[in-house]
Amino acid sequence: MSRPPLPPFTAETAALKARMAEDAWNTQDPEKVSLAYTTDSVWRNRSDFLVGRPAIVEFLTRKWQKELDYRLIKELWAFHDNRIAVRFQYEWHDAAGNWFRSYGNENWEFDEAGLMRNRQASINDVAIKEKDRKFLWDKGPRPQDYPGLTALGL
């Protein structure tokens, strides 16, 4: 299975890969998202360590049961050969209606078929008021004309 764009990345293909990941995660479909990763992909997400697609699906299922009305923006930070670094922010609320903006960085490594074989994510959550939300599109991928992190002053 091939998942273009393929490494080695250029500025354009790395930015496209980041946007494709953002769009997939905004579907909140764990099975669909897991297909971008190798079958034995290794993750660190905060303090969780995962290996393989089944673990990724289980993790994302739990995540999106907790993080309601999830909206994510990723922005390319750096790239080299088969590696990409992104910064990201996402907004969500818990079951009690408390809103959060989560800030983070991810380091990605891809195999020759364009599947992510390693993902390292560092994330911090900050409580926000609902009136301070900035990610206001309908559920699903961010519209193409919706500003990114830099344009939003984030």
Side-chain angles (χ1 to χ4, degrees), residues 6-106:
L6 307 177
F9 297 111
T10 65
E12 294 76 23
T13 61
L16 177 59
K17 198 76 157 177
R19 181 59 191 246
M20 291 170 65
E22 173 191 317
D23 288 349
W25 279 62
N26 275 324
T27 67
Q28 298 173 52
D29 181 337
E31 293 287 341
K32 177 180 180 175
V33 171
S34 75
L35 297 177
Y37 302 91
T38 61
T39 57
D40 60 350
S41 187
V42 176
W43 280 28
R44 180 188 59 79
N45 192 91
R46 301 177 192 245
S47 60
D48 291 312
F49 294 84
L50 314 170
V51 177
R53 282 188 189 154
I56 291 168
V57 170
E58 290 173 22
F59 172 85
L60 292 174
T61 299
R62 286 190 315 273
K63 173 184 178 62
W64 289 319
Q65 287 172 347
K66 174 189 171 198
E67 296 176 355
L68 307 174
D69 289 320
Y70 177 95
R71 304 288 187 279
L72 166 73
I73 298 177
K74 292 182 185 281
E75 185 172 275
L76 178 65
W77 188 254
F79 68 95
H80 181 72
D81 292 332
N82 69 332
R83 294 183 174 155
I84 295 174
V86 297
R87 70 185 191 103
F88 63 88
Q89 295 181 27
Y90 61 90
E91 294 177 350
W92 58 280
H93 68 85
D94 63 17
N98 301 303
W99 280 92
F100 299 88
R101 184 172 299 123
S102 299
Y103 298 83
N105 298 290
E106 290 177 295

Side-chain angles (χ1 to χ4, degrees), residues 117-133:
R117 67 176 163 216
N118 194 300
R119 175 183 175 268
Q120 303 291 318
S122 297
I123 308 166
N124 299 297
D125 302 319
V126 176
I128 62 172
K129 294 183 180 355
E130 185 172 5
K131 70 178 182 63
D132 294 328
R133 292 181 55 220

